[in-house]
Amino acid sequence: MWKNVLKLDVSGNKVIAQLPSEYEQGLALEVTLLHNALAEHNAQNFFVDDTAVIQFIKCAGEAKGDAFAGMMIAEVRDAAAEVLLTEQDMIASIKVTGAYGGAPLQPNDVIKILTDAHVIRGLNKKALKKVLLLSQQLKPGETYLQPVAIGKRPKEGKNAQFIPLVADPKKRVLKPQATGEHGKVDMRDLGAIVTVGENELVMKRIPAIQGQSGYTVTGAVIPPKPVKDNPLKPGVGTKFSSDNPNTLLSTMSGMPVIKASGVEIDEALCLSKVDISTGHIKFKGSVVISGNVEANMEVTATGTITVGGFVESATLKSKGDIIVSKGIIGHNVDDGEPKSCHIHSGGDVIANYAQFAEIEAKGDMHFTVHSLNNDLRCGGDLTATGTSKKQGILSGGQAIVGGKVLCNQLGVEGDTATYIKAFASYHCYTEKLEQLELRYTQLQEQKMKAIRREIELKKIPKSSRSEAQNMELAALNSSNTDALDRFSEDKERLELELFAKLELNTVESLVQTHTRVTVAFDDEKVTTKNTHGPALFSFNKHIINFTPKLKEEDLAV
């Protein structure tokens, strides 16, 4: 029995288990009965060393000397605490362990563990008082985690902002205007063409706001992200305002060109129309035509061409954007004959609709109502999306697109074929990758040749090598794999860029996909044989994936 072997030491803070000298074989010592035996010595709250208890029972069963000498199996322990740092040292918590018959925590104990953990900022006095109180209330060995200090996150600043004070011509055009006292929208009134006069405010700058540093509970400073305080940049036709250096004024009349941190004014030639009475137009700057461009007329400009009406069977060439408020109209010609309307833009092409025209843009193309039987080529994205599901039709003709294609309706009912080649710049990436792979292989071969030569030279005893051989070996020893690593990194970076482009540059219809739509990526192509709802065409470098967005759609293409 435990009561025959347990006793307190002279301090009364430890329980010793010791076999009596008159020990009899068969003395039953069960772990489950130990607690009651400790209670008889008022030691039920002591910390019990389970390992020592098992060791004593084993020694007692074998009548070993250690059992007769006595072993400490339980003792008084004061309340304990440790500091835990989490959230990258943004939160400090104290883990309190209840006392085993000992004293609760004292203020100096808490100060010491915080000091040892270097916690110096963000301390909460109420939380620290709670720690002291918990150390008195917790049961022996019971633990509680109490946050006592919280760091401060940095307050991020704001980059300088550049706010245009004039409308963007690309955004103003194609926006139907409300007229009359009832605010009825007139679909033919797409708003006035945007121009500015002299000494008009065109842009203001809001200076950057610097952030504020934060800190961890250990006192480490966390700086905010650096802000971009880019200056306001006057361009052609603009200057700083004398009243406020953070605003720009126009110095001439013309068409505003909104830049990232400034505005330029293109000298604008304003015409009511272009027809036989005006002749062909060639102008160094922007051309603003409030009316139509009639058949067989040509307009060439170095800036933006903006047409408030229609362009019919005419030719427009611009180094900037071409914006047509109403429509681009060619005529249905026989197969193999050139289109009667030609649009060539060094920037974006934006129009309400286009039909039977040849349109080329280095940037993006956007049509609101439809693109019908056009020959399209653009370096950016092609979109045909309107204010309703019936608008935004991309059908007939062909489109070779550098980026992605997005429309509401893809194709047309009937027998008209639609051909789209998306992500036309894919082959540029594959060619670059092939060149990198070829150069990488050549460098590997050169490196292996150098290694083989180095081995041959090292087989020659050092005393027998000529000076030329020693110099060659030194040069070989100094060779490294920097070039190989650089080509490998370039290849990996280009592959990641290509993967991202493949994810982004898709062909997507938001409402309906009709028959006889051929979508091509690289040398692969698929043609729809059935009518589908919304659908997505994507490419994974091997095959084109066709994904109808509605579960009930027939998956056959």
Side-chain angles (χ1 to χ4, degrees):
M1 297 293 290
W2 282 107
K3 67 179 182 179
N4 296 326
V5 299
L6 296 183
K7 64 178 181 180
L8 293 173
D9 72 344
V10 293
S11 67
N13 292 330
K14 295 181 181 180
V15 176
I16 306 299
Q18 184 178 22
L19 286 178
S21 55
E22 62 277 8
Y23 169 71
E24 297 178 0
Q25 290 286 355
L27 185 64
L29 296 175
E30 297 182 16
V31 175
T32 56
L33 301 176
L34 178 59
H35 181 76
N36 292 335
L38 290 173
E40 293 181 8
H41 292 276
N42 293 322
Q44 65 272 19
N45 290 332
F46 284 21
F47 172 77
V48 177
D49 188 340
D50 295 329
T51 303
V53 170
I54 293 180
Q55 183 67 23
F56 177 77
I57 293 175
K58 182 179 179 181
C59 290
E62 298 173 359
K64 288 187 176 180
D66 289 344
F68 288 98
M71 300 174 64
M72 192 274 291
I73 64 168
E75 64 178 339
V76 170
R77 287 189 179 182
D78 296 336
E82 63 174 321
V83 175
L84 302 177
L85 299 178
T86 56
E87 301 288 334
Q88 298 180 328
D89 294 351
M90 292 300 293
I91 298 177
S93 303
I94 293 181
K95 182 180 179 182
V96 188
T97 303
Y100 292 91
L105 292 174
Q106 300 300 314
N108 288 340
D109 299 330
V110 176
I111 292 172
K112 184 178 185 306
I113 62 171
L114 290 172
T115 302
D116 292 343
H118 308 290
V119 177
I120 58 175
R121 300 202 68 176
L123 290 165
N124 186 306
K125 291 182 179 179
K126 289 184 178 180
L128 294 174
K129 289 180 180 179
K130 185 177 179 180
V131 167
L132 295 174
L133 182 61
L134 286 169
S135 71
Q136 301 174 19
Q137 297 176 343
L138 292 176
K139 296 177 181 179
E142 184 181 3
T143 60
Y144 189 90
L145 191 64
Q146 174 62 46
V148 295
I150 299 178
K152 181 182 178 182
R153 298 285 180 187
K155 183 178 180 181
E156 302 298 346
K158 292 183 178 181
N159 295 332
Q161 299 179 61
F162 300 89
I163 302 174
L165 301 177
V166 293
D168 187 337
K170 288 196 282 188
K171 295 179 181 178
R172 275 296 290 251
V173 100
L174 308 181
K175 182 179 179 182
Q177 303 294 301
T179 60
E181 57 184 38
H182 299 294
K184 185 177 180 180
V185 173
D186 183 353
M187 297 303 293
R188 289 182 238 179
D189 182 4
L190 300 176
I193 295 173
V194 178
T195 57
V196 297
E198 189 176 351
N199 289 324
E200 287 189 25
L201 288 172
V202 292
M203 178 171 278
K204 70 176 180 179
R205 171 183 177 269
I206 299 176
I209 300 175
Q210 299 295 330
Q212 298 177 2
S213 296
Y215 54 80
T216 67
V217 295
T218 59
V221 176
I222 307 175
K225 294 178 182 178
V227 297
K228 296 179 180 178
D229 198 15
N230 296 334
L232 189 62
K233 296 179 180 178
V236 176
T238 59
K239 66 177 182 180
F240 290 115
S241 169
S242 58
D243 297 329
N244 184 350
N246 280 316
T247 57
L248 289 180
L249 287 174
S250 60
T251 60
M252 57 186 284
S253 299
M255 174 171 286
V257 180
I258 310 298
K259 303 290 185 179
S261 56
V263 177
E264 293 182 357
I265 308 298
D266 268 356
E267 184 179 357
L269 173 63
C270 297
L271 301 167
S272 61
K273 61 182 179 180
V274 174
D275 60 10
I276 195 169
S277 66
T278 62
H280 299 318
I281 302 298
K282 290 185 179 180
F283 188 72
K284 291 184 178 180
S286 294
V287 176
V288 178
I289 304 161
S290 59
N292 302 328
V293 179
E294 300 294 344
N296 301 318
M297 302 309 299
E298 295 182 7
V299 179
T300 305
T302 58
T304 298
I305 297 176
T306 303
V307 181
F310 296 95
V311 176
E312 183 173 1
S313 296
T315 299
L316 270 58
K317 296 179 181 180
S318 172
K319 292 183 179 179
D321 301 327
I322 294 179
I323 304 166
V324 181
S325 296
K326 293 183 179 177
I328 299 171
I329 305 171
H331 293 290
N332 195 3
V333 295
D334 295 333
D335 291 340
E337 293 186 15
K339 294 285 195 293
S340 64
C341 191
H342 304 273
I343 308 294
H344 299 277
S345 168
D348 299 340
V349 170
I350 301 172
N352 204 31
Y353 65 86
Q355 57 194 40
F356 302 105
E358 177 190 297
I359 305 174
E360 183 175 348
K362 286 189 177 180
D364 300 332
M365 281 188 194
H366 177 72
F367 304 104
T368 304
V369 178
H370 68 241
S371 169
L372 175 64
N373 290 321
N374 296 300
D375 288 341
L376 307 177
R377 183 183 292 270
C378 66
D381 299 334
L382 169 61
T383 59
T385 53
T387 55
S388 70
K389 292 182 178 180
K390 293 182 179 180
Q391 294 184 342
I393 301 170
L394 180 59
S395 64
Q398 67 173 7
I400 299 175
V401 183
K404 68 178 180 180
V405 177
L406 179 68
C407 63
N408 283 346
Q409 303 271 351
L410 181 57
V412 65
E413 295 180 0
D415 204 35
T416 302
T418 303
Y419 177 84
I420 294 174
K421 183 166 187 176
F423 192 19
S425 56
Y426 173 80
H427 72 280
C428 296
Y429 285 89
T430 55
E431 287 178 1
K432 288 180 182 178
L433 285 170
E434 288 174 0
Q435 292 171 2
L436 285 173
E437 187 66 37
L438 177 62
R439 182 58 180 152
Y440 184 79
T441 301
Q442 292 172 345
L443 287 172
Q444 278 185 317
E445 292 173 353
Q446 292 174 10
K447 182 65 178 177
M448 292 305 300
K449 184 178 179 180
I451 291 173
R452 287 193 291 269
R453 178 57 179 163
E454 185 178 345
I455 293 172
E456 291 176 4
L457 290 172
K458 285 185 176 179
K459 288 180 179 178
I460 303 172
K462 189 174 182 180
S463 58
S464 302
R465 290 183 205 142
S466 66
E467 184 63 27
Q469 288 174 330
N470 285 329
M471 292 176 64
E472 183 182 0
L473 183 59
L476 290 170
N477 284 332
S478 65
S479 64
N480 53 54
T481 59
D482 287 350
L484 283 169
D485 290 342
R486 185 170 61 254
F487 272 91
S488 180
E489 290 172 1
D490 290 345
K491 182 173 177 288
E492 183 178 357
R493 183 166 52 251
L494 192 60
E495 286 175 339
L496 289 173
E497 184 180 343
L498 176 58
F499 176 78
K501 291 284 187 180
L502 287 170
E503 287 285 315
L504 182 65
N505 293 331
T506 59
V507 176
E508 182 175 6
S509 62
L510 301 175
V511 178
Q512 198 165 29
T513 308
H514 295 279
T515 58
R516 295 198 68 193
V517 173
T518 299
V519 174
F521 288 89
D522 194 32
D523 295 329
E524 299 295 317
K525 64 181 180 180
V526 296
T527 302
T528 58
K529 298 176 181 178
N530 301 306
T531 298
H532 302 271
L536 179 72
F537 298 81
S538 60
F539 187 54
N540 64 3
K541 297 197 295 187
H542 304 291
I543 62 172
I544 297 174
N545 295 312
F546 173 74
T547 310
K549 295 298 185 68
L550 299 179
K551 292 183 180 179
E552 65 269 18
E553 288 295 324
D554 181 4
L555 296 180
V557 296

